[in-house]
Amino acid sequence: MKTFKLSRAIQAALIGIAVVGSAQIALADIKDYEFRLVEPTVTVGKDKVITVRLVNKTIGKPVPDAVIFATRLDMAPEGMPEMATRIALEPGAAEPGSYRFKATFGMEGKWLLSLGAKVQGETGTVESKLVITAQK
Ligand SMILES: [Cu+2]
């Protein structure tokens, strides 16, 4: 009888662990977020606006109020990683969960936009690399 009670206790404990485990899975993970380009192409020239959307992939919803702390735009996809251009976050999003940047695309071809961001209530950082094609 004693061993029976003990195994019941272990069973209850295991169920408890399973419940806690699934609760953690239900919460979003930082890997569930990604930036997506609204427009994959841009015209070559000065002060071009790029819009990205931060989405929670699991629920397909835009994520507002992320803190973007790292931005880089260079021509790595064309074998020119040293060819970086200045990029600045523009204030005032067109809609919640979208983020706008202004940058100068001095050359036709593929540019790599690297973004690093913090999401409210999540640990870790979102890191996305997006390819933008600049054309005439
Ligand atoms: Cu180049």
Side-chain angles (χ1 to χ4, degrees), residues 75 80 83 107:
M75 287 197 83
M80 292 176 268
M83 190 176 169
M107 189 177 169

XYZ file of all heavy atoms in Angstrom, residues 75 80 83 107, ligand 1:
33
model
N 25.900 45.694 -48.528
C 25.721 44.918 -49.754
C 26.342 43.521 -49.681
O 26.802 42.981 -50.702
C 26.264 45.695 -50.958
C 25.370 46.874 -51.339
S 25.696 47.482 -53.013
C 24.738 46.356 -54.016
N 29.791 42.485 -51.152
C 30.350 43.764 -50.714
C 29.905 44.073 -49.283
O 29.206 45.060 -49.041
C 29.888 44.894 -51.659
C 30.455 44.805 -53.057
S 29.778 46.102 -54.151
C 28.392 45.252 -54.865
N 30.472 47.505 -47.924
C 29.725 48.633 -48.478
C 28.437 48.832 -47.682
O 27.367 48.335 -48.031
C 29.406 48.388 -49.958
C 28.839 49.614 -50.650
S 28.586 49.297 -52.402
C 27.640 50.747 -52.844
N 23.593 52.153 -54.837
C 23.957 51.214 -55.896
C 22.835 50.209 -56.117
O 22.178 49.783 -55.161
C 25.236 50.479 -55.447
C 25.879 49.617 -56.483
S 27.416 48.941 -55.761
C 27.797 47.721 -56.998
Cu 27.855 47.788 -53.788
